[in-house]
């Protein structure tokens, strides 16, 4: 390793378990992509550090109408792209319209949003329905602003005919602190400092993000061949020596269990008493301890760092006696219940098979026989989406840091349907959900979401289990490591001591 | 009164009575190989379509697949809305133009992906095969020469053990010991992160680094090769040692070896010019086979060492139901397997005058 | 002393049993000594023992003495030579290396397997020439060409760059003989050199062998079980059976007045010999021989037939020995 | 078809491969009478085995007819051979490969007996056959590996004869045997087949044995029969240059040290000449 | 009197000639025993191969006993998660505990019940299918042979692990499906071997003799051919048990075989990836695989020496697992 005194020319090595599909912001919607694009592109609005409950100005400042239907964004100051050209409202319009028009993975972020240019510095976004989440959405790196001229020259359009992905996977076209040097989806991404960046030069001149599995990450960061490791499990983090600094926070991912409410899928899991029994049979503390450092029990479906999260006191607790009683009430006769789960997902270092096995063992103690049915995500997603799983173990990561993203866990909505929870299956909860969706002040929203989640915990088919710990290990000489629920870490904020 | 052993003629004259000139034969082999390749694509195609999952679900994010427009768009882009038969023939048609489709996981043309992954795999596979041929031939010859002696038995045990080690386990153990405990070997990947990829000529980092005169890059690339190559080598060495031993034993039994010794030639000459040359054809055959199985074996090894080669690519494609990706890998490995066989065949001609001169 | 090679008290053993059990044999200078005997009697092993090429599982004891080269006049006497010649049993690697191919050469039974199929004839003719005599490539090649002409391989120059499979069986055996003769050895061990050849071809090879001896300098130990061949070229004949010499005599004496029962039975099987018998008699012998054998103790009573038929009981052991 | 003829072959052609085809047998015809031993001699590779195999039907004939007792001999295919055709049996050169190593010899001899029975011929006792070829009947339960090469060959002969063949084809049945047994096995074959009234085609390159047991000889050269006739006639008065060279090249075991005559290269050219007078001669 | 001069096989008797048809048509041909040169299987164990074989047999039997007696031997329920997690060996358990607090030792013991019988099943099935296909192809030749051999070519040209991966993915991960996937890739080796042997034997003198005596095809196949190919096929099979264990545990390692919480060696090794520090989780099951495979390989090797000192077969399409 060739360390030089000047940190600006130093190489920073980050280990990450890749789920990288592209570096094109218009198509990217995976954690690794967020991490990379955050360094390459700038967004109109953004978050500061790890606080995702409050949106701050990014490239632009925001003016929002009271009905949360009109959002006026004005570019602040001068911004230049990596090739030296200045950013204008045209670039903003192009970038946002491109995301919408591509119909790529992130296009849903701007569903129903119309983008219009007001003048060279100002862009107006309008929506049909109130969209209080839009500011938080705009902080997503997928909505990073592209150099429209360069992208258009390389096949960029604002509809499906766009062919700029290839170009954006070799060269970046943004205004962020770094530019893309090389991108290999399977092995590594190399970034170099953007010479035309208008902010402070980033701490490292060259950043290498390598695709490495959790266990190896630990070795690498201990041995010094990696500076930052992003996917350590709790146990791995605990076992790290003093040579590294570990930042542990619960992540924004919520791992939950679903029990199908559709009687034609499963008679027993659609039985409310059985659902209750399962809720009471699970030993949540044990699951947390298995998962290790940083992990917390998920009180409700909304993760703790978001507005509207349920306080710890509202969380489900184990009560084996009640479980036995409810089980008896349900008429469960010892038949085996299938638990489907993706076998190849490891979330923040926690293996789904591990959790599934633990749950199986816990439920067995309560008298419930569970048969595990793992399958690769690719295969299992189908059953999950079609709502045909009897019992499923999944997780939900926020698409944007706003509780409205969690309304999907209600009857007739996306995740609700996956658990066989049809529209009208539970009118009380639907009413609570409608109220939560309406918007309002932060306080109002907070209490409405709490109510909704309390009801969900009591009567819903979902069992929030864990918010796995996000353990970031960094060499002692690296500063600025802050976990962010959207982009994991801001690479540009890292610097050498 | 003579006891006839005319039947002896040339016991290994496989090509001795070739009805066709060698070239015709080679051509026929190429043609059948091509048919086989088509067969490989067909099998992959059918198999991947049997998989119950939906590639759309796998390729799109959790949220995006909810949107029917996005899904339809995706299907149209990748031609998944066509009937299977049409899809297959489209694939074949494109194949003829060197187009293997676009991977649904990486969104890159499969050809480009493979072109990038292949050198990585070749680097370890070639390293392993070269190493194991050298070691295997030396050990096998020693074992044959010392047949029945202690060293023969030791080699027998060692090579059988080599064949018995689960590669995936060995890779982990070596990684644990050499990297985790002893810090001798470098971590995963092809290069340490402080080195930049040498200018691409062959795609083999070691070779490219040398060509570019970057000695330290070469050393780093070579040190990364060490463990994966070692793991792959151990298995093949076992196979080759056992085989070379038998092949050499067979040759040692030949009159021409006895004749060479009766001529008073030094042992070195006898081994290299007579014995090994005689055994070269069967040895070549196993080397070809071993190479094939090496290619297969890289899947696990690459997974463990995070080696960005064909194996990793295959695993990624298979677990994401990436149809073009899987078919591309199947095709590539199939073609390589056939290529290796073809090369072996052609080398027979070089090594065996009876084949070369048959007309 | 006129013997080129003297074998005395030679024993060849495997770990478990004796293959050759103390034989004496003298190969007279400038003559052809025929060695006959039943299959498995140890003829080949005897020849191999001379060159120290016995299979690893066998050991030799006794004495095999190679006479000094005085008569032949070529080459120098190697290490280990004494007034009475060089002892080959238990000789060092150096001594054997100097003797093999240089002073004692060997021709094998099957010409198609005793030449390396992947090496040109030229290479096989010259590599020991260059090794033993230190000749240059060109010199070795011209010597090789002369050799091929001497054994009458047509188009000798072109033949050098061809491969064994491009020659007929007879030509291959001539080439093998040329290879053996390359360094002007004094002793040639020929192990059934014509068995694999057609009679018409065999006749040519026999003539060649005779010529080589008559030209002087060479002595041949000719292993064959074809009594016709033996009668045609051998000067002295030794008959072996089960690792022992049963009879050794000048050719004419052996054919006209065989002493040993086994020799007689061999001759009896020949047409035109004074021991001729009709097929019917032979068949009866075969059957009787079996009965005698199974009755118990008629080892060798009616010669080979008895043994053949009578080996019923110990047949299995024999096969075991043979199927190594 | 003349009386007493068991086998009649006409214009047999055998070729191997194509482009260019190697013509191993080039239009050979002959007949064998009951109780007659016909020897086929010639140098290695002249097509003796090919002819024998074509006669039996193991090798496909490119042309020509073979009739056994007047019935056409079909090539040996996947189908089961008709009982009539089991009247022709063959003995092979290599005794080690002619017996199934996994079956007791009694059983294998029984196969022969069964073949005879299936044809409606009279059966026989396998033990009896063992005795006839000079082996102990008690050995019936043994496996082939427990026998020496000569013994195995005698068992193979016994099996062939147990099928009560009308015609026996023997392809160098003695050449893999030990010098001292060759003659007696050949003699045994002759006496047994003559006794059974079967015709025999006996292939050998050992002319001295041929002379002793054959009634007639066919001399083959390069796929053609160049000379044929009564054994003694051919021996005493060979007409074809190849036959002459062949006979002259036999070393005589007379102990006189006479070198056999080796044909000159130039002579070989003349061996391809046809000498019609050399064909089908009877005793002078 | 012996016949020391074992006549070497005539090149014509064997598989069809032509420039090494072997490599193209049958990978086994150029080096394998297309014609059996062995005689009856008298145990002709070499001085050393016998002890090794015996050692292998002993270890193999030991493992089989372990499998049978697992409930008795294992100190814990292999599935019970009642011990402290990630405990190092020695601290109350012999081989430590895994990430869920299960006793590794008990799981290794119970693992024998999973892999060994399945590997045996796999080999038996491969032998049956392969031998039947190979025998039919070799004996009846022509179109049947052509089709059968092209199919084996196809399967063998395909990367084993990837094929198994796709199949297992298609059928869903389960041990039985893994066996099925492995079966699809492993029968061709036997088909090849059997075909080669049958082809060689078909033209052998004793089979022809039988045909001349009026044997029906079935009788030829059953009496003359089958008994003579059993030996080499068994040798290959015994050597293949090890390969089968490696393949099955490799598939489980990739998550395509055993389902959790089954105590299967391959998946236990893969558990270790997540807990690198806890070396005992992966090392012991790996050693279990290693010893079983070595044991079977020793036995197979000794068997090969005993049955046929000269023959050797390359396992086509072998897998590095
Ligand atoms: N490599 C070997 N290891 C052990 N025994 C052997 C070996 N080679 C030959 N023998 C045995 O040695 C004995 C003598 O064999 P040898 O080859 O000398 O006989 P031979 O007289 O040359 O016979 P033939 O006429 O068949 O060539 C035989 O019993 C044979 O089985
Ligand atoms: N299966 C085959 N394929 C191609 N050529 C063959 C085949 N069998 C025989 N030949 C060739 O046909 C010719 C005649 O062979 P055949 O075996 O009939 O000779 P032969 O007289 O029996 O010789 P030998 O005395 O050596 O047994 C030879 O040139 C031989 O090489
Ligand atoms: Mg010999
Ligand atoms: Mg023949
Ligand atoms: Ni995508």
């Amino acid at each position: 390793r060739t360390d030089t005194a000047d940190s600006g020319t130093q190489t920073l090595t980050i280990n990450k378990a890749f789920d990288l599909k592209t570096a094109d912001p218009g198509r990217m919607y995976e954690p690794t992509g967020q991490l990379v694009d955050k360094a390459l592109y700038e967004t109109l609005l953004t978050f500061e550090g790890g606080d995702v409950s409050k949106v701050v100005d990014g490239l632009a400042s925001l003016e929002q109408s009271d009905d949360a239907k009109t959002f006026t964004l004005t570019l602040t100051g001068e911004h230049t792209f990596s090739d030296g050209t200045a950013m204008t409202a045209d670039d903003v319009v192009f970038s946002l319209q491109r995301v919408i028009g591509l119909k790529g993975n992130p296009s849903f972020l701007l569903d129903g949003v119309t983008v219009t240019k007001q003048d060279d510095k100002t862009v107006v976004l309008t929506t049909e329905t109130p969209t209080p989440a839009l500011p938080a959405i705009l902080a997503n790196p997928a909505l990073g602003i592209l150099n429209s001229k360069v992208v258009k020259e390389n096949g960029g359009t604002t509809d499906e005919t766009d062919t700029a992905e290839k170009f954006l996977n070799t060269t970046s076209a943004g205004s962020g602190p770094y530019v893309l040097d090389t991108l290999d989806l399977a092995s590594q991404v190399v970034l170099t400092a953007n010479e035309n960046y208008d902010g402070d030069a980033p701490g490292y001149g060259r950043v290498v993000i390598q695709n490495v599995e959790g266990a190896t990450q630990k070795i690498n960061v201990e041995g010094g061949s990696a500076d930052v490791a992003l996917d350590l499990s709790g146990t791995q983090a605990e076992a790290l020596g003093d040579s590294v600094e570990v930042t542990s926070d619960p992540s924004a991912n919520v791992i939950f269990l679903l029990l199908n409410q559709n009687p034609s899928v499963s008679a027993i899991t659609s039985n409310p008493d059985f659902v209750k029994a399962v809720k009471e049979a699970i030993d949540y503390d044990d699951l947390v301890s298995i998962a290790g450092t940083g992990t917390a029990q998920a009180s409700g479906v909304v993760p703790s760092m978001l507005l509207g999260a349920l306080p710890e006191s509202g969380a489900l607790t184990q009560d084996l006696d009640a479980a036995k009683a409810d089980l008896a009430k349900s008429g469960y006769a010892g038949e085996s219940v299938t638990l489907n789960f993706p076998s190849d997902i490891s979330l923040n270092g926690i293996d789904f098979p591990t959790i599934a096995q633990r749950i199986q063992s816990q439920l067995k103690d309560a008298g419930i026989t569970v048969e595990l049915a793992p399958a690769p995500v690719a295969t299992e997603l189908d059953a999950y989406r079609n709502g045909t799983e009897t019992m499923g173990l999944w997780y939900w990561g926020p698409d944007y840091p706003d509780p409205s993203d969690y309304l999907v866990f209600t009857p007739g909505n996306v995740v609700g349907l996956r658990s066989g929870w049809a529209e009208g299956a539970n009118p009380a909860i639907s009413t609570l959900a409608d109220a939560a969706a309406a918007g309002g002040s932060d306080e109002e929203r907070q209490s409405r979401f709490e109510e909704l989640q309390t009801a969900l915990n009591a009567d819903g088919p979902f069992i929030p289990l864990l918010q796995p710990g996000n353990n970031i290990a960094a060499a002692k000489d690296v500063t600025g490591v802050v976990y962010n629920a959207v982009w994991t870490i801001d690479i540009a904020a890292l610097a050498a001591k | 009164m003579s006891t006839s052993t005319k039947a002896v003629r040339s016991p290994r004259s496989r090509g001795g009575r070739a009805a066709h000139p060698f070239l015709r034969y080679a051509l026929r082999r190429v043609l059948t190989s091509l048919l086989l390749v088509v067969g490989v694509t067909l099998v992959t195609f059918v198999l991947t379509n049997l998989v119950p999952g939906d590639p759309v679900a796998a390729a799109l994010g959790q949220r995006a697949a909810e949107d029917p427009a996005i899904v339809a768009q995706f299907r149209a882009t990748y031609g998944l809305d066509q009937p299977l038969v049409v899809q297959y023939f489209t694939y074949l048609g494109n194949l003829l133009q060197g187009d293997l489709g676009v991977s649904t996981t990486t969104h890159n043309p499969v050809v480009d992906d493979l072109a990038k992954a292949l050198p990585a795999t070749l680097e370890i596979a070639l390293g392993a095969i070269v190493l194991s041929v050298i070691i295997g031939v030396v050990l096998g010859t020693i074992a044959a020469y010392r047949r029945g002696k202690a060293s023969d038995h030791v080699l027998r045990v060692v090579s059988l053990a080599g064949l018995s080690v689960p590669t995936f386990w060995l890779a982990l153990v070596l990684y644990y010991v050499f990297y985790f405990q002893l810090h001798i070997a470098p971590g995963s990947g092809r290069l340490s992160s402080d080195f930049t990829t040498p200018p691409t000529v062959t795609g083999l980092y070691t070779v490219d680094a040398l060509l570019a005169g970057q000695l330290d890059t070469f050393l780093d690339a070579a040190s990364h090769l060490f463990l994966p190559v070692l793991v792959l080598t151990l298995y093949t060495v076992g196979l080759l040692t056992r085989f070379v031993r038998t092949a050499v034993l067979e040759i040692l039994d030949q009159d021409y070896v006895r004749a060479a010794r009766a001529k008073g030639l030094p042992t070195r000459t006898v081994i290299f010019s007579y014995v090994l040359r005689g055994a070269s054809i069967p040895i070549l055959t196993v080397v070809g086979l071993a190479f094939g199985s090496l290619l297969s074996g890289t899947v696990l090894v690459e997974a463990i060492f995070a080696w960005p080669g064909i194996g990793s690519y295959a695993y990624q494609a298979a677990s994401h139901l990436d149809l073009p990706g899987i078919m591309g890998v199947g095709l590539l490995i199939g073609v390589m397997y056939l290529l290796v066989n073809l090369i072996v065949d052609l080398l027979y001609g070089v090594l065996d005058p009876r084949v070369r001169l048959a007309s | 002393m006129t013997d080129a090679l003297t074998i005395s008290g030679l024993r060849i053993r495997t770990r478990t049993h004796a293959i050759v059990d103390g034989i004496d044999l003298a190969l007279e200078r400038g003559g052809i000594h025929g060695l006959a005997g039943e299959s498995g009697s140890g003829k080949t092993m005897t020849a191999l023992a001379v060159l120290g090429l016995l299979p690893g599982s066998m050991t030799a004891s006794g004495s095999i003495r190679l006479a000094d080269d005085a008569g032949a006049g070529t080459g120098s006497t190697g290490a280990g030579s004494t007034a009475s010649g060089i002892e080959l049993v238990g000789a060092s690697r150096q001594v054997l290396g100097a003797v093999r191919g240089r002073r004692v050469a060997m021709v094998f039974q099957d010409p198609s397997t005793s030449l390396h199929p992947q090496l040109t004839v030229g290479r096989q003719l010259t590599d020991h020439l260059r090794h033993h005599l230190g000749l240059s490539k060109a010199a070795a090649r011209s010597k090789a060409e002369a050799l091929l002409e001497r054994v009458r391989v047509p188009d000798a120059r072109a033949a050098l760059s061809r491969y064994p499979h491009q020659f007929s069986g007879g030509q291959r055996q001539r080439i093998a003989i040329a290879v053996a003769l390359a360094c002007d050895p004094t002793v040639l061990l020929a192990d059934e050199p014509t068995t694999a050849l057609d009679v018409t071809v065999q006749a040519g090879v026999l003539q060649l062998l005779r010529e080589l001896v008559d030209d002087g300098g060479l002595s041949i130990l000719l292993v064959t079980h074809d009594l016709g061949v033996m009668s045609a070229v051998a000067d002295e004949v030794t008959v072996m059976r089960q690792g022992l010499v049963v009879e050794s005599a000048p050719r004419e004496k052996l054919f006209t007045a065989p002493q040993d029962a086994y020799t007689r039975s061999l001759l009896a099987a020949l047409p035109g010999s004074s021991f001729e018998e009709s097929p019917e008699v032979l068949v009866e012998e075969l059957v009787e021989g079996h009965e005698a054998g199974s009755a118990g103790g008629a080892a060798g009573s009616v010669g080979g037939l008895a043994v053949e038929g009578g080996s019923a009981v110990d047949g299995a052991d024999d096969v075991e020995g043979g199927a190594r | 078809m003349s009386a007493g003829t068991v086998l009649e072959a006409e214009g047999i052609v055998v070729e191997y491969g194509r482009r260019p085809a190697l013509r191993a047998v080039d239009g050979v015809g002959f007949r064998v009478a009951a109780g007659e031993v016909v020897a086929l001699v010639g140098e290695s590779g002249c097509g003796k085995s090919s002819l024998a195999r074509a006669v039996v039907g193991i090798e496909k004939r490119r042309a020509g007819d073979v009739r056994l007792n007047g019935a056409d001999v079909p090539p040996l295919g996947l189908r089961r051979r008709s009982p009539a055709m089991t009247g022709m049996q063959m003995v092979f050169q290599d005794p080690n490969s002619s017996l199934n190593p996994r079956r007791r010899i009694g059983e294998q001899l029984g196969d022969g007996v069964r073949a005879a029975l299936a044809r409606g011929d009279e059966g026989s006792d396998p033990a009896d056959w063992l005795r006839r070829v000079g082996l102990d009947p008690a050995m019936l339960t043994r496996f082939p590996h427990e026998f020496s090469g000569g013994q195995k060959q005698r068992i193979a002969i016994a099996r062939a004869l147990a099928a009560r063949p009308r015609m026996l084809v023997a392809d160098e049945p003695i050449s893999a045997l030990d010098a001292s047994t060759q003659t007696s096995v050949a003699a045994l074959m002759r006496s047994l087949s003559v006794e059974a009234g079967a015709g025999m085609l006996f292939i050998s390159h050992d002319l001295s044995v041929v002379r002793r047991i054959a009634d007639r000889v066919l001399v083959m050269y390069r796929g053609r029969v160049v000379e044929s006739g009564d054994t003694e006639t051919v021996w005493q008065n060979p007409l074809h240059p190849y036959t002459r060279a062949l006979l002259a090249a036999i070393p005589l075991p007379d102990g006189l040290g006479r070198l056999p005559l080796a044909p000159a290269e130039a002579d070989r050219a003349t061996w391809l000449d046809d000498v019609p007078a050399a064909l089908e001669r009877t005793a002078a | 009197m012996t016949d020391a001069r074992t006549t070497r096989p005539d090149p014509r008797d064997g598989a069809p000639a032509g420039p090494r048809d072997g490599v193209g048509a049958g990978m086994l041909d150029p080096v394998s025993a297309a014609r059996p040169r062995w005689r009856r299987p008298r145990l002709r164990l070499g001085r050393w191969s016998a002890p090794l074989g015996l050692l292998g047999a002993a270890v193999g039997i030991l493992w089989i006993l372990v499998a049978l007696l697992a409930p008795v031997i294992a100190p814990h329920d292999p599935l019970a998660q009642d011990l402290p997690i990630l405990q190092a060996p020695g601290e109350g358990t012999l081989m430590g505990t895994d990430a869920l607090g299960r006793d590794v030792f008990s799981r290794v013991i119970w693992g024998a019940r999973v892999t060994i019988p399945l590997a045996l099943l796999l080999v038996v099935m491969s032998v049956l299918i392969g031998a039947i296909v190979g025998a039919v192809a070799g004996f009846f030749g022509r179109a049947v042979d052509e089709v059968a051999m092209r199919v084996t070519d196809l399967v063998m040209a395909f990367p084993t692990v990837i094929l198994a991966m796709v199949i297992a993915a298609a059928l869903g991960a389960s041990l039985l499906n893994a066996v099925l996937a492995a079966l699809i890739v492993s029968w061709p080796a036997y088909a090849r071997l059997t075909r080669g042997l049958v082809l060689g034997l078909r033209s052998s003198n004793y089979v022809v003799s039988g045909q001349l005596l009026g044997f029906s095809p079935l009788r030829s196949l059953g009496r003359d051919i089958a008994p003579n190919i059993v030996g080499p096929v068994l040798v290959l099979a015994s050597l293949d048990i090890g390969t089968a264990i490696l393949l099955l545990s490799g598939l489980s390692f990739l998550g395509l075989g055993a389902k959790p919480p089954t105590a299967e060696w391959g998946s236990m090794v893969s558990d270790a990836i997540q807990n690198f520090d806890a070396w005992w989780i992966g090392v012991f099951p790996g050693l279990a695989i290693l010893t079983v495979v070595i044991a079977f390989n020793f036995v197979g090797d000794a068997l090969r020496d005993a049955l046929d000192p000269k023959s050797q077969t390359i396992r086509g399409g072998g897998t590095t697992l």
Side-chain angles (χ1 to χ4, degrees), chain C residues 14 17 19 37-46 55 57-58 109 191-192 223 225 321-324, chain E residues 2 4-5:
Chain C
T14 64
H17 52 273
I19 302 286
E38 68 180 359
S39 186
S41 58
K43 306 184 294 289
T44 300
M45 292 305 135
T46 303
S57 55
M58 293 185 194
Q109 167 174 344
D191 188 3
E192 314 205 13
V223 177
H225 60 252
R324 28 174 226 276
Chain E
T2 67
R5 191 179 297 105

Side-chain angles (χ1 to χ4, degrees), chain C:
Chain C
M1 181 173 161
T2 58
D3 290 340
L5 188 75
T6 322
I7 297 176
S8 46
L10 178 70
R11 273 168 216 281
I12 301 172
R13 293 189 52 86
T14 64
R15 246 179 242 104
T16 50
H17 52 273
I19 302 286
V20 170
D21 209 4
I23 60 164
D24 300 319
L25 190 153
L27 174 59
E28 58 282 23
R29 194 163 294 205
I32 297 183
H33 193 119
L35 185 56
E38 68 180 359
S39 186
S41 58
K43 306 184 294 289
T44 300
M45 292 305 135
T46 303
L48 290 178
V50 174
L51 287 171
L53 285 177
L54 284 174
S57 55
M58 293 185 194
T59 50
S61 60
S63 158
I64 300 174
R65 213 157 258 284
L66 177 66
D68 284 332
D69 268 352
T74 40
S76 62
T77 42
S81 83
T82 63
S84 55
I86 308 167
E87 177 57 51
L88 295 178
V89 173
S92 70
R93 200 185 283 203
Q94 284 90 336
V95 173
L96 284 174
V99 167
R100 284 181 197 157
R102 176 74 189 84
R103 314 254 319 258
V104 181
M106 184 151 179
V107 179
F108 295 84
Q109 167 174 344
D110 190 339
S112 51
T113 59
S114 62
L115 292 173
H116 199 297
Q118 288 154 270
L119 291 174
T120 60
V121 165
R123 170 80 195 273
Q124 301 191 59
L125 265 168
T126 53
D127 57 3
H128 60 311
L129 265 175
R130 299 179 61 198
H131 172 73
H132 285 303
L133 307 180
L135 295 183
S136 72
K137 205 168 190 165
R141 266 188 97 79
S142 70
K143 173 133 203 229
E145 197 181 321
L147 277 165
L148 286 184
E149 268 160 16
R150 184 166 164 211
V151 297
R152 290 194 300 273
V153 169
D155 201 1
R157 178 182 294 268
L160 286 178
S161 49
R162 288 161 71 191
Y163 291 89
H165 77 275
Q166 293 169 300
F167 294 89
S168 74
Q171 287 171 336
R172 272 182 237 170
Q173 195 60 293
R174 285 166 193 273
I175 292 169
I177 292 171
V179 169
L181 296 179
C183 300
D184 295 314
T186 50
V187 173
L188 180 66
L189 308 171
D191 188 3
E192 314 205 13
T194 60
T195 306
L197 306 178
D198 284 315
V199 265
T200 50
V201 181
Q202 163 175 287
V205 172
L206 291 180
Q207 282 189 348
L208 175 66
L209 291 180
R210 188 75 248 174
E211 270 169 40
L212 292 171
V213 170
D214 292 348
D215 287 354
L218 190 66
S219 322
I220 298 180
L221 179 67
L222 177 68
V223 177
T224 179
H225 60 252
D226 186 329
L227 294 181
V229 169
M230 195 67 86
S231 153
V233 292
D235 301 312
E236 293 273 329
V237 178
T238 295
V239 181
M240 281 180 74
R241 179 150 182 261
Q242 293 180 344
L244 291 169
V245 168
V246 293
E247 184 159 9
S248 191
R251 181 217 318 134
E252 250 171 274
K253 179 157 175 284
L254 186 115
F255 276 89
T256 51
Q259 300 300 306
D260 183 76
Y262 175 66
T263 318
R264 275 210 302 275
S265 77
L266 277 182
L267 291 173
L270 293 172
S273 79
S274 49
F275 305 90
E276 183 172 358
E277 278 150 82
S278 76
E280 286 69 29
V281 175
L282 282 166
V283 172
E284 273 156 31
E285 260 180 23
L286 194 64
V287 177
E288 275 161 22
H290 149 64
E291 275 153 12
S294 57
S301 61
V302 203
L305 301 170
V307 173
E308 171 69 25
S311 63
V313 183
D314 53 13
D317 300 341
D318 283 345
V319 174
E320 193 133 41
R324 28 174 226 276

